[in-house]
Amino acid sequence: MILRKNALVAGGTLVGLFLVALSVLPLFLRGRIEARAHAEIERALDAQVAWSGVSLTFFRDFPNLTMALDDLTVVGNGDFAGDTLVSMKGFRLVLDVGTVVRALRGTGPVLVRSVQLDAPSLRLSVLDGGSASWDIARPGTAENEPPAPSGRGVTIELQSLAVTDGRLLLEDPRTGLYVSMAGLQHSLSGDFSQDRFVVRTLTRADATTVRFAGLPYLEGVALDFRADLDADMVGRRFAFADNQLRLNDLLLEFAGSAVRSADGVALDMTFHAPRTEFAQILSLVPMVYAHDFEELETSGTFSLEGRVQGDWGDRAFPSFALTAEVADGMFRYPDLPLPARDVSLHLAMNNPGGDVDSTVVRLERFHLVLGDQPVDAALTLRTPASDPDIDLVVKGTVNLADVARTVKFADVEELSGTVRADAAVRARMSDVDAARWDRVGARGTVAATDVALRSAAFPHPIAVREATLELSPQRADVQSLQMQLGSSDVRAAGSLDNVLGFALRREALRGRATFHSENFNLDEWKSDSALQLIPVPAGVDLALDGTVDRLTYGALDMADARGTLLVKDQRVTLEELTLETLGGHVGVTGFYETTDPVRPTFGVGLALDSLDIPGASAALLTVRSLAPVARFARGAFTAQLTLDGALGSGMEPVFGALNGGGSLQTTSLVLEGFPAMARLADALSLPQLTNPTLSALRSTIDIHDGRLHVRPFQVRMGEFRLSVSGSNGVDQSLDYTLALAVPRTLLGGAADQAFRTLLADAGRAGLELQATDSLEVSVAVRGLVTAPTVETAFGRAITTVGDQARQAVAGAVTQRLDATEARVDSTAEENLRRAQARADSIIQAAEARATAVRTEARMLADTLRAEANRGADKLVAEATNPVARVAARAAADRLRKEADAKAEAMVQEADRRAEAMVAEARVRAGAIVQRDTTPP
């Protein structure tokens, strides 16, 4: 018993130690294996490969070692630099542990048993020159290259490969091939260590889309592919028989072989549909398959068969043929009143091999009856890749109400109206591109009348009263379009220049049109996302010359909007857009772009003329945020501004990223209830400042870092003069410095006491207030717009206070000197005092003349500026149209700038002359004192 117990303890200890070893050993190996993985990837791939973390464990697939890489990405080099080719949540490898140990010792390659890809996303593309993004493998060891060192390399003997929840996108513009797969699940198993074995593969995808040579073949189709392949690794041949591919409800069976060669793959394959029910091919029609397809009543026959034979590679293309036929088709939903009947189709696709451009698609017959109206079409397409040559005929009438009674649509509440088509096109794209219209045949009409659509996909109903498209060799002309978009009406006419390029090459639809709307409400077309943007559609290149009698956006009501809108690459460019709003005129140039749907951007130049300030503050968040004082102001403003930045929620600017600036002018303004002025009035005991009236002002502003910066300007408030500079933020913070000139006549009572306190604080308590013309008060305004702080300090006495003080002192000195002279003979002291008095008198006289020169120069400068302003205002007032008004405003700005420059030069010259006068007087005074006080 004791022996058994000891054996159990020893066995348990060994098992425990073994488990601990299995847990700890990967921790010691992880760094070395990760470094080895980096080295092998660098040796094998010409790409940037990275991952966020690595883990090793024996427990997942004992006795093998499982290595997992988290958040793996593969980014291209060269022509595909910066392009993410592959990204996945997890990449798991099962490694043979013995080969891992030998590889770490440098005595052999690592053997990979299985691979698992978790949520991979593959984006594969081909450039026009033929370069493929997935061609990232470095060249293998050539005959003239030295072999890889011992212990290098990776050997793959897969037992399984698995892909879960993947996504694939493949684009090849040379052939017009586009493939996308979502919800991709794939498994591959087999003993790849053998020369001959069976490969079992299963592939599923929730939604598969395939377009080739400009034509859609599959659109959002569920795919299920199962195959058992006999693999001959020596002969590089894979054979398959009776394997199945299911596309929605369409079942296809495959048989044949694929042989790998140096130039590509040699294919010999046949396929056919083993069942003949019409429902199979009908399942590939998205709008039919999407709703209750299993309950669909059908009749009619269907057949499909085809073959692929020949080499497929970079310089080879196999021959193929496909034939599909539908006869006497009918389908009907049990809960809808009308069937679609008399459906017939004959489709043939052929290529003799050698080039994808040799493909010929012939839809020889398509016929369908909806209600009692037939629809017929035929199509032939040649040289689809290089130069699509199309022959298309469409004829029929569709009652949309009958369509709604035949086919189920998601979230469509109303569908009615009539669409008629009788058109034929025979054209080669090269002839259209080169405008060889004599070689192009296009005729016919497509017309819609009384169309009404109400759907959850659109925020408001759409009604087309009339739309007519006339085809000609040169273009498709929109003869008339009258429609209602929600509450907005639109009338338009124009032309589309590349309908074929749009249909076959997926080029942007180009055209030009004029439109008019009596009332258009932009608010109704904001997206439903939290961002609330108005998206600009992709795939269009349109120029729209439009007029809108009334345009509404938020609280902004605009009238007589006219201008040109260029829509291209998900950007709207505005050219010479003008409109009337807020009691004034607005001119706009700029752009609005939604290429990044999360962060739309804009850049705009604004010419704002005589806009109402209270209205602008109420309607525009930008004004309320950047000019918070506007909500306390009454008056109008004119501005020239440039702004650029990003848009956030509600299509309002992201103020922290906003940049711009310009000039601003106002009429006389009344400030009512502005807290900063109320605080200043209390501080100075001057109630006149509480709700002041300001004269017209001019200023220059800059916008950056979430703040509006005001360059220094001066304005009058009744008898006060005010200088202003500083900034305010979108957070409503204030940082302004004011210089307020207060006339002496307004001092008295409490104001007198307030100013005496300021003088005392400034160390000027001895200055007599009654001897001043005016006093300057420095004011610092901080805090928030609604809760400002106001700090005041004495600045200086202005105009004649210095003169009067010196004159008073000089008079007293003279009286004292005369009295002394009457009593006492001249002494050295008296001579000094007398000389000093004469010197002071000379200096005082010079300073008085200097003051007069300065005053006169400033008066002349003010007169010059006033005359320039009157002339500039007259130029703008006499402009009779928006274009002339823009030019007049530019000329007016130049006139004002020139007057400012002349006025400033005049003031500077006066200051120079005044300073020279005083300096000369001081020299003379010094000479007098020296002469009269020198003993004989």
Side-chain angles (χ1 to χ4, degrees):
M1 180 66 69
I2 295 175
L3 182 61
R4 180 183 298 177
K5 184 176 181 180
N6 291 337
L8 289 174
V9 171
T13 301
L14 289 175
V15 170
L17 291 174
F18 181 67
L19 292 176
V20 170
L22 292 180
S23 301
V24 174
L25 185 59
L27 298 179
F28 292 101
L29 295 177
R30 183 172 62 187
R32 298 180 64 187
I33 292 178
E34 184 176 10
R36 181 65 181 274
H38 271 294
E40 291 299 328
I41 289 172
E42 176 67 22
R43 186 178 68 86
L45 301 180
D46 182 16
Q48 307 298 316
V49 182
W51 51 81
S52 64
V54 61
S55 61
L56 296 172
T57 180
F58 284 104
F59 294 108
R60 180 178 291 274
D61 195 355
F62 186 79
N64 296 311
L65 179 65
T66 299
M67 175 180 179
L69 304 177
D70 299 328
D71 300 322
L72 176 69
T73 60
V74 180
V75 179
N77 289 329
D79 293 338
F80 299 94
D83 292 348
T84 300
L85 310 179
V86 181
S87 64
M88 65 187 73
K89 183 179 179 181
F91 180 66
R92 184 176 293 115
L93 300 171
V94 176
L95 310 174
D96 180 88
V97 66
T99 65
V100 170
V101 173
R102 287 193 295 272
L104 293 177
R105 292 176 178 175
T107 59
V110 175
L111 183 62
V112 178
R113 295 293 188 187
S114 66
V115 178
Q116 181 174 334
L117 283 64
D118 184 12
S121 177
L122 287 77
R123 185 179 182 89
L124 311 177
S125 58
V126 180
L127 299 180
D128 291 335
S131 299
S133 64
W134 61 86
D135 187 13
I136 59 175
R138 296 188 187 276
T141 302
E143 293 182 2
N144 58 348
E145 294 177 348
S150 176
R152 297 283 184 175
V154 174
T155 298
I156 298 177
E157 292 185 3
L158 284 179
Q159 294 175 344
S160 65
L161 168 68
V163 176
T164 58
D165 196 22
R167 299 181 65 87
L168 169 68
L169 176 63
L170 169 62
E171 294 181 284
D172 186 349
R174 301 173 305 165
T175 61
L177 177 64
Y178 173 90
V179 178
S180 72
M181 304 178 78
L184 178 64
Q185 317 291 330
H186 174 72
S187 64
L188 179 73
S189 62
D191 189 354
F192 284 77
S193 64
Q194 304 297 315
D195 291 337
R196 299 198 61 155
F197 58 96
V198 175
V199 178
R200 291 180 174 83
T201 180
L202 170 63
T203 302
R204 291 192 179 96
D206 296 336
T208 303
T209 297
V210 177
R211 304 188 191 104
F212 179 64
L215 296 179
Y217 289 86
L218 302 175
E219 197 71 39
V221 171
L223 177 147
D224 191 331
F225 177 67
R226 301 168 183 266
D228 291 343
L229 308 179
D230 291 326
D232 179 359
M233 303 305 291
V234 176
R236 306 176 75 180
R237 184 177 187 275
F238 297 86
F240 44 93
D242 300 327
N243 297 292
Q244 293 185 342
L245 170 65
R246 185 180 295 277
L247 304 171
N248 282 351
D249 200 50
L250 172 61
L251 180 64
L252 299 175
E253 292 185 348
F254 289 80
S257 65
V259 180
R260 180 70 179 173
S261 65
D263 296 329
V265 179
L267 299 173
D268 187 1
M269 182 174 63
T270 61
F271 57 92
H272 72 284
R275 291 163 40 196
T276 61
E277 296 90 343
F278 171 53
Q280 290 186 86
I281 191 68
L282 194 62
S283 73
L284 300 185
V285 181
M287 64 180 181
V288 175
Y289 186 75
H291 305 283
D292 303 327
F293 182 77
E294 66 280 356
E295 300 178 8
L296 200 67
E297 300 173 1
T298 64
S299 63
T301 60
F302 160 73
S303 65
L304 184 148
E305 60 182 9
R307 62 168 178 78
V308 179
Q309 192 170 35
D311 292 336
W312 192 352
D314 291 338
R315 295 180 297 274
F317 193 82
S319 67
F320 70 86
L322 179 149
T323 302
E325 184 103 25
V326 173
D328 300 322
M330 184 279 297
F331 70 89
R332 178 178 181 273
Y333 289 95
D335 53 346
L336 291 181
L338 287 180
R341 54 190 175 84
D342 296 341
V343 181
S344 61
L345 174 146
H346 182 81
L347 173 67
M349 295 179 58
N350 290 277
N351 188 307
D355 195 324
V356 65
D357 219 23
S358 301
T359 303
V360 177
V361 179
R362 287 188 176 91
L363 177 62
E364 297 179 357
R365 180 182 71 256
F366 175 79
H367 179 77
L368 167 70
V369 176
L370 286 174
D372 57 358
Q373 298 289 344
V375 176
D376 292 277
L379 168 70
T380 300
L381 176 65
R382 302 177 181 86
T383 58
S386 65
D387 187 12
D389 183 356
I390 188 170
D391 191 348
L392 171 67
V393 177
V394 178
K395 184 175 183 179
T397 299
V398 176
N399 186 325
L400 296 179
D402 286 345
V403 174
R405 290 192 287 266
T406 303
V407 180
K408 293 183 176 182
F409 296 95
D411 303 320
V412 174
E413 302 169 14
E414 179 186 2
L415 180 63
S416 62
T418 303
V419 178
R420 297 180 178 85
D422 185 359
V425 175
R426 174 71 175 89
R428 184 181 286 272
M429 282 302 305
S430 58
D431 292 332
V432 174
D433 294 339
R436 294 187 288 263
W437 306 121
D438 57 318
R439 302 183 185 181
V440 177
R443 60 160 184 81
T445 303
V446 179
T449 55
D450 299 325
V451 173
L453 173 62
R454 188 188 299 272
S455 169
F458 301 99
H460 298 279
I462 297 174
V464 179
R465 188 180 309 161
E466 177 185 8
T468 304
L469 188 70
E470 293 283 350
L471 298 181
S472 67
Q474 293 88 345
R475 64 183 62 87
D477 293 312
V478 181
Q479 299 289 351
S480 66
L481 173 62
Q482 300 180 38
M483 62 190 305
Q484 194 80 18
L485 304 173
S487 64
S488 306
D489 65 285
V490 174
R491 294 173 179 249
S495 63
L496 301 174
D497 298 332
N498 67 327
V499 177
L500 289 180
F502 173 72
L504 296 179
R505 291 181 175 173
R506 306 185 69 80
E507 296 175 352
L509 185 61
R510 296 196 308 268
R512 190 171 193 104
T514 60
F515 72 93
H516 174 75
S517 175
E518 294 181 359
N519 177 72
F520 203 97
N521 188 345
L522 287 171
D523 289 324
E524 294 180 344
W525 298 98
K526 288 183 179 179
S527 64
D528 292 332
S529 67
L531 188 58
Q532 285 287 297
L533 61 87
I534 298 175
V536 182
V540 295
D541 182 1
L542 301 177
L544 306 174
D545 301 306
T547 59
V548 181
D549 295 340
R550 183 185 180 192
L551 184 63
T552 304
Y553 180 68
L556 201 59
D557 199 358
M558 298 162 277
D560 194 23
R562 59 188 64 241
T564 299
L565 280 69
L566 305 178
V567 184
K568 184 178 181 180
D569 298 332
Q570 293 185 272
R571 170 188 281 215
V572 173
T573 302
L574 308 176
E575 293 185 349
E576 297 182 2
L577 176 64
T578 62
L579 53 90
E580 306 293 332
T581 189
L582 300 173
H585 174 83
V586 176
V588 183
T589 60
F591 72 89
Y592 163 68
E593 187 173 64
T594 59
T595 51
D596 182 352
V598 178
R599 192 177 176 84
T601 58
F602 75 98
V604 63
L606 298 172
L608 311 176
D609 189 359
S610 304
L611 269 60
D612 178 63
I613 294 177
S617 178
L620 300 175
L621 175 62
T622 304
V623 174
R624 293 196 302 276
S625 298
L626 291 177
V629 71
R631 62 173 162 155
F632 304 103
R634 302 291 179 266
F637 74 97
T638 296
Q640 299 283 338
L641 298 174
T642 59
L643 298 170
D644 64 80
L647 296 174
S649 178
M651 290 189 66
E652 298 293 350
V654 178
F655 292 106
L658 187 64
N659 293 292
S663 61
L664 174 70
Q665 306 172 55
T666 73
T667 62
S668 61
L669 305 177
V670 176
L671 290 182
E672 296 181 349
F674 185 30
M677 295 308 296
R679 297 282 176 89
L680 181 59
D682 290 343
L684 300 180
S685 298
L686 293 172
Q688 303 95 318
L689 297 176
T690 303
N691 295 307
T693 297
L694 282 66
S695 64
L697 62 87
R698 289 176 54 81
S699 179
T700 301
I701 61 176
D702 297 298
I703 300 168
H704 55 83
D705 300 328
R707 299 190 71 82
L708 182 144
H709 300 262
V710 179
R711 297 183 188 176
F713 70 89
Q714 293 186 346
V715 65
R716 294 197 67 88
M717 297 188 303
E719 298 183 67
F720 301 94
R721 289 198 310 274
L722 181 67
S723 296
V724 180
S725 64
S727 69
N728 55 263
V730 295
D731 57 358
Q732 305 295 286
S733 63
L734 300 174
D735 186 6
Y736 278 95
T737 299
L738 314 179
L740 178 68
V742 181
R744 177 181 56 79
T745 56
L746 298 180
L747 300 181
D752 186 86
Q753 182 58 45
F755 272 79
R756 292 188 182 278
T757 300
L758 287 178
L759 291 171
D761 292 341
R764 303 289 297 278
L767 185 62
E768 177 55 51
L769 287 179
Q770 302 306 318
T772 66
D773 281 349
S774 59
L775 288 174
E776 183 180 275
V777 180
S778 297
V779 183
V781 180
R782 306 288 187 269
L784 301 177
V785 173
T786 54
T789 62
V790 174
E791 298 178 0
T792 58
F794 174 74
R796 59 189 176 89
I798 303 174
T799 309
T800 62
V801 62
D803 298 340
Q804 294 174 357
R806 281 192 294 272
Q807 290 169 359
V809 172
V813 170
T814 300
Q815 292 176 4
R816 288 195 295 271
L817 286 175
D818 292 342
T820 301
E821 287 175 346
R823 295 191 303 268
V824 184
D825 292 334
S826 294
T827 64
E829 182 179 354
E830 299 307 324
N831 289 340
L832 177 61
R833 289 180 178 177
R834 188 180 298 112
Q836 189 64 57
R838 291 180 61 193
D840 288 346
S841 177
I842 291 172
I843 293 173
Q844 290 168 12
E847 289 181 341
R849 290 196 304 273
T851 298
V853 169
R854 287 189 176 100
T855 301
E856 182 179 5
R858 280 163 174 72
M859 291 177 61
L860 290 174
D862 290 342
T863 301
L864 181 61
R865 289 189 180 99
E867 290 177 352
N869 286 333
R870 284 194 294 271
D873 293 341
K874 184 178 180 181
L875 282 175
V876 175
E878 291 176 350
T880 58
N881 59 69
V883 176
R885 200 170 294 145
V886 171
R889 281 194 287 268
D893 285 341
R894 287 196 299 273
L895 181 61
R896 292 187 178 101
K897 288 178 181 178
E898 291 172 359
D900 282 341
K902 291 179 181 179
E904 185 61 28
M906 188 180 299
V907 170
Q908 291 178 0
E909 176 61 20
D911 287 341
R912 187 190 64 77
R913 289 175 55 198
E915 290 172 0
M917 289 179 186
V918 175
E920 183 182 356
R922 293 187 185 280
V923 172
R924 288 174 54 204
I928 290 173
V929 171
Q930 179 68 23
R931 184 194 64 195
D932 292 350
T933 58
T934 301

